[in-house]
Amino acid sequence: MQPIDQDARLMLSFREGDRDALSKLYEKWAAPLLRYLERIVKNPATAEELLQDTFIRVHGARDRYSPDAAFSTWLFRIGRNLALNELDRARNRNPHFTADSPSDGDRRSGDGSDRKSNVVALVSPLPAQDEVADARREKAKMEAALGEIPERQRSALWLAVVEGHSYAEVADILETSTASVKSLVHRARAQLVERMQTEAEAAAANTEVGR
Amino acid sequence: MSDDAREEDRMDALISASLDDALSPEEAAELAALMAGEGMAGEGVSGEGVASRAQDFEDVDAALRALAEEPLDEARLEASLEAVQERLFESSPDAAVVIAGEAVADEIGVDAGSRASGRSESLFSRIRPAFYGGMAAAAAAMLFFAVGSGSDALRPGDLNPGGGLETLAEEAALGELTDEALVAALGYGAGPADLSELGLASPEDLEIVEQLELLDFLAAREAEGRG
């Protein structure tokens, strides 16, 4: 029999009535889950609500939790499905809605109106040699590029590279095959390289024009 | 897709899988051959091309990880945890039952149809306070009407033995009417257990509640405008 990990043990304790166990799971997984949800819905406030909803669902489904699967896989799958539902609802409310539309949250985090690197370059008062400003610009560009690729590619890449999930775990979260995840991840990487290169070329062209 | 593009796509797939330690032995051999400048005919696919592409992918990965290193506001996370605990442990047991029902769809993924039914439950949970408020107001109106018309079907004290009709109406308006009195006044059953939210909320009920909410909203806005 496979040994169960700490998260699974906590979940089983929670199932037995130990409320602190849920808080411990929250402490461990809330931040990574929130970051992931922000990448899907692109709005910090909505992502926060979804984070809460996800743990409410975990509570509700505690009796059906099986330690055979990693807790984090189960958690992220619930969170993603809730986020997709939320995007559906937003589209139903506003047929012109896209998750790429700049929101208040996006603006707050600097990845909404600053989507285009040439805009970033033009509005930034800091010189290129300023490393902090450079790093901030690069992050804004990557965030924008990430937001432009299809959600499944974005999810697959984020879960594999940032969260360190195996392809099999990502497949479990996205409810697809491992082969499909492999393809989603490689296409996501290729698209991001292409977008970042296009952005860099546009920024270089803007610099030339500015001289 | 041209042959060159197909070869480059294959190279991307191999490099990407290698970065994630997800190469099969055959794929590992194929990638090794590419890196040695063998295997594919396309111009973009050479030993140097592979190394350069691998560097591009690694840069993307590093940039992604940098995004995740941005510190999250601890206060946000704590506030969310408090909200979760409040919603879970300070709400009624009935609410937890409804939540458990919804979780199944979220675990297995939901199609558009089942999402739609989930939305109607969610809609009710959002307007629940207004719904009960509306019901309370309706109960008060019914009681006034019953007394005003001389009906003996409802008498002061029948539903609220501890107080008169005025008290009951006042409680209804303030939203302080007891569940027992409200349920009995509306004829939905003998006690709060019969106030099952899923059974009680018909589309017509929800429409009335929405209209009441809209009226409240318009009245509030008008009052603000005057102020």
Side-chain angles (χ1 to χ4, degrees):
Chain A
M1 189 177 161
Q2 218 179 2
I4 58 173
D5 66 12
Q6 193 193 4
D7 294 335
R9 218 172 291 131
L10 282 170
M11 193 58 209
L12 293 176
S13 299
F14 174 56
R15 203 163 72 177
E16 299 303 315
D18 177 6
R19 288 180 183 184
D20 285 347
L22 184 65
S23 300
K24 285 177 187 156
L25 286 167
Y26 180 93
E27 279 164 22
K28 179 171 179 184
W29 289 108
L33 180 60
L34 182 60
R35 286 195 182 98
Y36 171 58
L37 292 171
E38 282 180 351
R39 264 77 208 182
I40 301 185
V41 296
K42 303 174 191 173
N43 180 310
T46 307
E48 241 172 84
E49 282 175 23
L50 289 167
L51 171 71
Q52 294 171 22
D53 289 347
T54 305
F55 276 89
I56 299 273
R57 299 305 199 272
V58 166
H59 172 275
R62 63 195 180 283
D63 290 336
R64 287 187 301 281
Y65 172 70
S66 161
D68 299 341
F71 171 78
S72 61
T73 306
W74 186 60
L75 181 76
F76 276 77
R77 186 167 71 232
I78 293 174
R80 177 171 181 267
N81 284 327
L82 286 171
L84 295 182
N85 284 351
E86 178 57 32
L87 293 179
D88 270 0
R89 267 194 290 273
R91 276 187 209 104
N92 286 341
R93 281 194 298 265
N94 174 12
H96 301 296
F97 168 87
T98 68
D100 295 327
S101 307
S103 64
D104 287 342
D106 286 339
R107 278 190 284 276
R108 221 187 319 156
S109 62
D111 63 358
S113 52
D114 293 349
R115 284 190 184 283
K116 300 296 177 195
S117 67
N118 51 355
V119 177
V120 175
L122 289 171
V123 298
S124 174
L126 299 173
Q129 57 265 37
D130 186 322
E131 285 182 11
V132 177
D134 274 353
R136 202 180 303 136
R137 270 196 292 270
E138 286 305 311
K139 279 182 182 174
K141 279 191 254 178
M142 175 50 79
E143 192 78 79
L146 185 65
E148 285 167 4
I149 65 175
E151 183 278 327
R152 282 169 69 77
Q153 288 183 14
R154 193 186 325 142
S155 281
L157 185 63
W158 185 270
L159 292 168
V161 171
V162 177
E163 294 306 325
H165 286 293
S166 67
Y167 283 2
E169 288 171 337
V170 176
D172 200 7
I173 295 169
L174 301 190
E175 296 168 278
T176 186
S177 66
T178 307
S180 170
V181 169
K182 209 170 188 174
S183 170
L184 287 168
V185 169
H186 110 248
R187 289 185 198 289
R189 280 188 171 120
Q191 285 222 40
L192 287 178
V193 167
E194 192 181 322
R195 284 167 197 270
M196 294 299 279
Q197 285 173 347
T198 306
E199 291 285 346
E201 284 163 13
N206 277 335
T207 309
E208 282 299 314
V209 170
R211 278 183 188 162
Chain B
M1 193 187 268
S2 69
D3 284 351
D4 279 1
R6 202 171 295 122
E7 286 189 351
E8 283 176 19
D9 192 55
R10 179 63 185 157
M11 178 180 77
D12 282 353
L14 293 171
I15 294 169
S16 176
S18 103
L19 290 176
D20 296 327
D21 292 326
L23 282 178
S24 67
E26 297 76 27
E27 288 171 331
E30 193 180 346
L31 182 61
L34 280 181
M35 294 190 80
E38 304 160 7
M40 289 185 189
E43 281 180 17
V45 184
S46 62
E48 279 180 17
V50 172
S52 163
R53 193 64 168 169
Q55 186 59 54
D56 288 343
F57 282 5
E58 283 178 15
D59 291 346
V60 162
D61 288 4
L64 281 176
R65 291 192 188 102
L67 290 182
E69 282 164 10
E70 288 280 303
L72 281 174
D73 182 359
E74 286 297 319
R76 275 176 77 196
L77 293 174
E78 280 169 24
S80 277
L81 177 58
E82 279 170 23
V84 169
Q85 288 170 334
E86 200 171 304
R87 285 168 67 184
L88 282 178
F89 303 126
E90 291 174 18
S91 61
S92 70
D94 288 351
V97 172
V98 173
I99 287 162
E102 290 176 348
V104 181
D106 295 321
E107 282 174 80
I108 59 174
V110 279
D111 59 26
S114 58
R115 278 179 196 155
S117 66
R119 270 194 292 280
S120 64
E121 289 173 24
S122 166
L123 169 67
F124 184 74
S125 66
R126 283 179 193 177
I127 62 172
R128 185 184 306 147
F131 178 75
Y132 287 140
M135 285 300 190
M142 284 170 65
L143 289 166
F144 276 123
F145 178 76
V147 171
S149 65
S151 163
D152 59 2
L154 289 170
R155 288 198 179 89
D158 279 357
L159 302 174
N160 186 6
L165 177 60
E166 291 78 9
T167 312
L168 185 59
E170 196 175 307
E171 286 173 357
L174 293 171
E176 293 172 354
L177 190 65
T178 62
D179 282 351
E180 286 83 356
L182 177 59
V183 169
L186 294 173
Y188 278 108
D194 293 319
L195 200 64
S196 154
E197 59 181 42
L198 295 180
L200 183 59
S202 67
E204 291 77 18
D205 290 334
L206 294 175
E207 201 173 317
I208 291 167
V209 172
E210 280 177 355
Q211 286 169 357
L212 285 169
E213 274 195 310
L214 181 61
L215 286 172
D216 279 352
F217 170 74
L218 291 173
R221 203 169 64 170
E222 198 180 352
E224 274 175 21
R226 278 199 299 268

